[in-house]
Amino acid sequence: MMTAIPSGNNRQTTVEAWKDPSQEPYIRLENVTKKFGDFTAVDNISLDIFKSEFFSLLGPSGCGKTTLLRMLAGFEQPTSGRILLDGEDMSKVPPYLRPVNMMFQSYALFPHMNVEKNIAFGLKQDGVPSPEIKTRVDEVISMVQLEQFAKRKPHQLSGGQRQRVALARSLVKKPKMLLLDEPLGALDKKLRTRTQFELMNIQEETGITFVIVTHDQEEAMTVSSRIAVMDHGRIIQTATPTEIYEVPNSRYVANFLGEVNIFEGRVAENARDHVLIQSQEAGCTIRADHGIDAADGATVWVAVRPEKMYINLEAPDDPNTNCMTGQVWDIGYLGNLSIYHIKLDSGTMVTMARTNKERVVERKITWDDRVYVTWAPDAGVVLLS
Amino acid sequence: MVDSTQFISGAIAQTGRIAGLHARLMLIPPYRWLANLRPLPIGRTLLFALILFFAAWSLPGLWPLWLVLAILLAGVAVTGRGAVIALPYAWLLAFFLSPFLIVLKISFAEIASAIPPYTPLFEILWDMEIEEAYLSVKLNIYNYLFLLEDDLYINSYLSSLQIASVSTFLTLLVGYPIAYGMVRAPVQYRTMLLMMVILPFWTSFLIRVYAWIGILKKEGLLNLALMSTGIIDEPLTILNTDTAVYIGIIYSYLPFMVLPLYATLEKMDESLLEAAADLGCHPLKAFWVVTLPLSLPGIVAGCFLVFIPAVGEFVIPDLLGGSETIMIGKTLWAEFFNNRDWPVSSAVAVILLLLLIVPIVAFQRMQENNAKKEA
C-alpha cells in the first residue's frame, strides 16, 4: 500500500548508536519514577534513546509501558527523576508545548472534523500560514494514501483508514519524537503485519525517532531497532530484537518473547569457555559453550528455543551434543511448522519445532516413538535469574 | 410473515410448544389466512386510526361499531414488532394528538352561555317540514383574527419568546459549567452530584417557586443578607419584575439543561482533549474547538427542553413577575378563567403550539439534510 521506498541505508547509519560512546542520547530518562497513590507504575527507570531509533517498550498490560509513554508526551508528571529531550529538561513543559506527538491507541480523531481538518489541526495551532498547511497536509495524506478520503469524517472510515489518519496527524508536525501507543492493536492480523512494514518505511523516510508501546512481541521484533522489555514498572532488558531473542538475560524475557524450554539445574563445572549444568528436569548434564558468572552448585536455568532442538531416532555421535530421551506425546501440524511435544524420561514436557521442508506425507517420527532430543552446546543460554 | 409450508413441514419438533401449536393450527384455513396477513404499516394504521377517530367523534352514537373497528385495526397493526413501534405512537395519539384536536375544535367554535361554554362545530339538523337531516359544520375563524386585532396577544407572544430565549441562554450559561464540573468530578462523586441535580424535583414545583418569593421580596433573605453585609443600603426590588421571572425560570429548568449536557459531555472521549494538547492546543482553546462543538447535541437538547416549557410558563410569571410582565401563559389563563372565553383561549393555545412546532420541525429537517450531505 505504501509507496515503495528504496530500502535506504538510513537504518544502517543509526544502527548501534547505543554502542558508540561518542553518541549523545536524543532522549534521556534519568531515574524516572511514577507513583499513583501507593501503586508504583514506573519504578526508577533510566534509559537512553538515540536519534532516529525505532524504540519499543514491550511488556504485558499493567507493566507501566503506557505510563512511561504518557510521561514522554507530558500527560503525566514523573513523581521523581528527569526526562531530557535533545538536552532539554521536559519536566516542566506542558504537553501543548512539547515538540513531541503521540498516536493514541484509540486514535482520538476529532469526530466533528474531516480527515483534512484533523491532520491540519496541529499545524493550525502553531500558526502555520494556510498555503503551507495545505501543502504539508497534502504531503502526508499522500504518504498514507488517503487522497480519496480527505473530505470524509472519521466515522465514515474503516479501522485501518482511521489508523492512517491518526498516523498522518501525528507526523505532519514533524515532531522530534513520535510516540505510538499500541498503534496497530485494533487492526486484524494481516493488516497489522502490512502496516508494520509501512511504519518502518515511514520511520526511515522521515528520520523521526519513534517510541512505540506494544504488548505484541512479534510486532516489537519486526519494527524495532531496540526493545525494552518491561515488567512491574521496571525495564528487565534493553537490547536489539536479535539479542533479546537469542541472548535473553532472564527467564522472564526468554518466556515473554516466543516459545522456550527452560531446564533448572545446578552448576557442576564452570570454565572460561564452557559450563556444565546438572539438571534433573532435563535428565542429563547440559553443556553450554559460554562461561557464566556463578559459583559451583548455584541454581541456574538453561533456555533453549524449540527451533534450535533436533529430534532423532538414534543417539547423536558427538559426545558434546546435549541429548535427552523421551517419547513423542503430541504433534501439532501448523503447515509451515510441526510442533512436537515430547515427554522426557524425567517427566518434563519439551516443545520443539521442525520446519516442514518436505511435504509431510508419511511421518518418520510419530506418536509414542522413543526419541532423542538434541541441541548443540551453543544453542542454549544459561540464565541466572 | 413466514411461508406457512415452512412451519408445517419441519419445524414442529424443534420449536417448542407454542410454535408447535402454531404449526398445527396453520393446517386450518382461517387461522392460516389470519396468520399470513401482513401487519399493517404504521403510516396506514395511523391514517385508519385518524379516520376512525373522526368518524367516531362526529357520529358517537355508533360507538359499538367504532369500538369493533378499533380493535380490529389494533389486531391487524399490533403483531409483535409492530406493537413495540405502535406503543409510542399510541401514547402520542391518546395524550397529545387527541387533546390537541379537541382544542383545535374549540378554537373554531363560538362563545356561548352553555356547558361547555361554546357552540358545537358539527350539528345534525332535523328539518321537520321535509323530514330530512343535515350535518351542519360551522367553522368560526374569527377567534384567530381577533388575536391579530388586539395588541395584547402579539405582545404576549413576543414577550414570551423573548423571556424564554433570554432565560434559556442564561440557563445554558449556568448549566454548562455545572454539567462540565460533574463530568470532570471523580467517578465516585458523580452519582451523588447527579442526585443533587435531580433532588429539587422531590419538592413540589409550586412550593419551590413560592420559596423564591421569600428570598426575593423587599424584606426577604437576599436583601437581608446583602444589607447586613453592607453591600447595599437600600433593599433591591427584585420580586414582581422580569428579573425575578428570569431567576425563577433558570432555577426551575436548570436540571433540564444540565442532564442532557451531562449525558453528551460524559460520552466525550477524554483522549480527544489530550490529542488536542498533544498537537499544540492550549487547554482553554481546546474547550472552544473540541469540547463545545462536540457537546452541541446536548446544548440543543437542553435548550429545547428549557425553551419550550418556558414559552408557555404560567406559574413563574404569575407568582414572581409583576403586572407589566406579560407572558402568553398568563394571557391564556386570564382568557380562560377570567373571561371564560374558551374559543379564543383555544386559538391562543393552537397558535402557541404552531409557534413552537414550526422551528423544531425546521431544525430537524436541517439536521436530516446535514446527515444526508455527510453520507
Side-chain angles (χ1 to χ4, degrees):
Chain A
M1 287 286 284
M2 202 64 49
T3 36
I5 291 150
S7 53
N9 288 330
N10 209 335
R11 188 167 291 262
Q12 297 297 312
T13 57
T14 58
V15 127
E16 319 249 301
W18 50 92
K19 284 190 178 157
D20 181 357
S22 68
Q23 286 271 356
E24 276 291 312
Y26 198 52
I27 298 134
R28 166 161 256 174
L29 282 82
E30 289 177 354
N31 305 96
V32 172
T33 297
K34 177 68 187 178
K35 286 183 182 172
F36 296 106
D38 290 338
F39 176 70
T40 308
V42 170
D43 192 1
N44 197 21
I45 282 182
S46 295
L47 184 65
D48 288 341
I49 300 172
F50 293 84
K51 201 173 165 83
S52 298
E53 259 202 86
F54 201 136
F55 194 91
S56 291
L57 297 168
L58 176 66
S61 56
C63 72
K65 56 191 193 300
T66 298
T67 309
L68 194 60
L69 198 76
R70 289 173 59 81
M71 282 195 281
L72 288 172
F75 301 133
E76 308 283 354
Q77 293 300 314
T79 312
S80 62
R82 287 205 306 165
I83 296 171
L84 300 162
L85 172 60
D86 204 3
E88 212 181 317
D89 188 357
M90 286 282 122
S91 308
K92 295 282 176 291
V93 182
Y96 56 91
L97 294 178
R98 290 194 187 198
V100 166
N101 284 134
M102 177 149 161
M103 189 186 145
F104 289 79
Q105 185 172 11
S106 63
Y107 306 149
L109 300 176
F110 303 121
H112 57 302
M113 300 180 193
N114 64 22
V115 169
E116 238 172 25
K117 285 191 176 136
N118 258 291
I119 297 173
F121 186 88
L123 295 172
K124 243 183 222 165
Q125 304 311 314
D126 290 359
V128 177
S130 49
E132 194 192 328
I133 291 184
K134 180 99 182 60
T135 48
R136 279 173 72 176
V137 168
D138 287 349
E139 204 177 298
V140 286
I141 282 185
S142 70
M143 190 200 277
V144 296
Q145 304 205 328
L146 282 170
E147 292 95 336
Q148 335 61 310
F149 305 104
K151 300 286 182 207
R152 292 220 189 152
K153 290 210 174 157
H155 68 92
Q156 296 161 322
L157 299 175
S158 72
Q161 289 160 348
R162 276 181 225 172
Q163 191 263 355
R164 282 153 191 278
V165 179
L167 183 63
R169 190 178 69 173
S170 52
L171 277 171
V172 74
K173 289 186 79 178
K174 301 192 174 124
K176 285 187 173 176
M177 169 169 61
L178 182 66
L179 307 169
L180 303 106
D181 188 2
E182 303 268 6
L184 313 176
L187 306 183
D188 62 69
K189 195 169 187 317
K190 265 217 164 118
L191 191 56
R192 194 156 65 214
T193 321
R194 203 171 63 195
T195 316
Q196 281 165 8
F197 285 95
E198 289 173 8
L199 271 183
M200 286 158 69
N201 286 343
I202 288 176
Q203 196 271 335
E204 277 175 38
E205 194 179 21
T206 56
I208 294 170
T209 312
F210 277 34
V211 179
I212 179 174
V213 152
T214 178
H215 66 272
D216 181 345
Q217 45 110 353
E218 210 175 294
E219 184 175 303
M221 300 280 281
T222 312
V223 299
S224 319
S225 60
R226 280 193 304 159
I227 300 173
V229 182
M230 291 184 67
D231 185 36
H232 289 105
R234 292 171 169 277
I235 290 179
I236 309 295
Q237 186 174 13
T238 309
T240 62
T242 324
E243 285 168 345
I244 288 263
Y245 189 77
E246 304 286 352
V247 202
N249 68 357
S250 60
R251 278 176 295 161
Y252 177 78
V253 175
N255 261 319
F256 196 78
L257 283 108
E259 284 276 330
V260 72
N261 296 299
I262 291 178
F263 308 106
E264 193 181 302
R266 284 173 186 285
V267 179
E269 186 190 320
N270 192 0
R272 256 178 58 90
D273 62 337
H274 73 276
V275 58
L276 293 181
I277 292 147
Q278 194 75 51
S279 171
Q280 258 184 6
E281 278 183 5
C284 66
T285 301
I286 299 167
R287 187 188 169 94
D289 267 358
H290 61 87
I292 55 166
D293 189 17
D296 282 1
T299 307
V300 292
W301 294 268
V302 182
V304 193
R305 297 286 180 191
E307 72 277 7
K308 293 195 169 61
M309 290 178 150
Y310 294 92
I311 184 167
N312 285 307
L313 290 169
E314 289 104 39
D317 302 332
D318 187 353
N320 274 345
T321 303
N322 294 300
C323 178
M324 308 177 297
T325 52
Q327 198 171 16
V328 177
W329 197 257
D330 230 336
I331 304 174
Y333 176 69
L334 305 185
N336 57 342
L337 293 176
S338 286
I339 305 290
Y340 290 79
H341 286 279
I342 292 147
K343 192 170 189 179
L344 299 182
D345 295 343
S346 61
T348 314
M349 203 62 110
V350 169
T351 304
M352 62 145 303
R354 269 177 68 138
T355 332
N356 294 327
K357 283 179 198 140
E358 293 116 36
R359 278 172 55 196
V360 185
V361 181
E362 198 181 325
R363 277 199 188 82
K364 265 194 276 178
I365 297 165
T366 182
W367 279 269
D368 295 337
D369 278 354
R370 295 268 324 153
V371 289
Y372 296 89
V373 178
T374 62
W375 79 90
D378 61 355
V381 189
V382 182
L383 306 172
L384 301 178
S385 65
Chain B
M1 271 282 135
V2 187
D3 182 21
S4 62
T5 52
Q6 202 179 325
F7 276 98
I8 299 164
S9 56
I12 301 176
Q14 313 157 14
T15 42
R17 203 172 292 171
I18 292 174
L21 183 70
H22 172 75
R24 267 165 238 271
L25 286 172
M26 283 302 260
L27 296 168
I28 308 163
Y31 181 86
R32 186 160 68 221
W33 182 75
L34 266 178
N36 281 343
L37 208 65
R38 283 175 171 278
L40 216 54
I42 281 296
R44 226 173 300 165
T45 310
L46 275 182
L47 187 70
F48 283 138
L50 249 156
I51 293 169
L52 205 62
F53 181 81
F54 272 110
W57 183 26
S58 40
L59 294 170
L62 296 174
W63 64 268
L65 175 68
W66 308 135
L67 193 67
V68 170
L69 283 176
I71 292 170
L72 252 177
L73 182 64
V76 177
V78 180
T79 36
R81 209 172 70 92
V84 177
I85 308 166
L87 198 66
Y89 282 96
W91 182 271
L92 283 176
L93 189 75
F95 299 109
F96 178 77
L97 195 61
S98 48
F100 173 73
L101 288 173
I102 291 168
V103 172
L104 188 68
K105 183 188 106 171
I106 299 174
S107 77
F108 284 114
E110 270 174 73
I111 189 164
S113 313
I115 298 173
Y118 56 89
T119 55
L121 226 58
F122 305 102
E123 252 179 319
I124 296 173
L125 296 178
W126 183 253
D127 194 319
M128 287 299 207
E129 282 176 29
I130 48 170
E131 299 210 334
E132 272 182 354
Y134 297 95
L135 176 65
S136 126
V137 181
K138 213 194 269 176
L139 292 177
N140 174 20
I141 57 164
Y142 179 67
N143 299 322
Y144 289 95
L145 296 176
F146 181 67
L147 298 188
L148 289 171
E149 257 172 41
D150 196 332
D151 281 353
L152 172 72
Y153 301 105
I154 294 168
N155 285 344
S156 303
Y157 282 124
L158 290 179
S159 141
S160 287
L161 290 176
Q162 188 222 329
I163 289 178
S165 331
V166 172
S167 45
T168 302
F169 179 69
L170 293 175
T171 315
L172 178 64
L173 285 191
V174 178
Y176 203 105
I178 294 177
Y180 193 83
M182 280 163 62
V183 171
R184 289 279 166 272
V187 186
Q188 65 265 33
Y189 297 130
R190 279 189 210 163
T191 326
M192 196 190 68
L193 289 171
L194 259 178
M195 283 300 292
M196 282 167 72
V197 169
I198 304 166
L199 203 65
F201 284 127
W202 293 10
T203 313
S204 153
F205 171 67
L206 207 56
I207 291 174
R208 283 183 285 135
V209 178
Y210 263 115
W212 275 102
I213 296 178
I215 298 170
L216 297 177
K217 66 183 176 189
K218 264 218 161 67
E219 58 280 6
L221 287 174
L222 182 68
N223 276 322
L224 222 61
L226 288 176
M227 298 225 297
S228 65
T229 49
I231 296 170
I232 51 166
D233 303 324
E234 290 275 299
L236 297 169
T237 315
I238 302 174
L239 192 64
N240 302 331
T241 64
D242 282 0
T243 316
V245 177
Y246 288 132
I247 292 175
I249 293 178
I250 294 167
Y251 167 76
S252 306
Y253 291 113
L254 194 62
F256 296 109
M257 183 63 87
V258 171
L259 294 179
L261 279 174
Y262 175 81
T264 28
L265 284 171
E266 203 202 18
K267 270 189 295 180
M268 209 184 87
D269 186 359
E270 249 181 275
S271 67
L272 291 178
L273 291 178
E274 285 186 347
D278 185 67
L279 293 165
C281 185
H282 191 277
L284 286 178
K285 199 187 163 198
F287 175 79
W288 289 103
V289 294
V290 178
T291 312
L292 202 62
L294 286 177
S295 59
L296 216 54
I299 294 176
V300 170
C303 286
F304 271 125
L305 282 179
V306 173
F307 180 77
I308 290 166
V311 172
E313 183 55 56
F314 163 72
V315 173
I316 296 170
D318 193 54
L319 292 181
L320 302 179
S323 49
E324 70 273 23
T325 309
I326 45 167
M327 280 186 82
I328 200 66
K330 268 175 83 176
T331 310
L332 196 121
W333 171 279
E335 204 59 64
F336 195 82
F337 288 100
N338 299 352
N339 300 350
R340 291 186 56 79
D341 192 342
W342 287 26
V344 167
S345 50
S346 297
V348 169
V350 169
I351 294 293
L352 178 61
L353 192 77
L354 291 181
L355 274 181
L356 293 177
I357 275 187
V358 168
I360 293 172
V361 171
F363 178 78
Q364 211 154 16
R365 280 278 162 81
M366 193 184 77
Q367 282 211 316
E368 274 167 22
N369 284 347
N370 280 355
K372 257 185 222 160
K373 252 185 238 163
E374 268 178 28

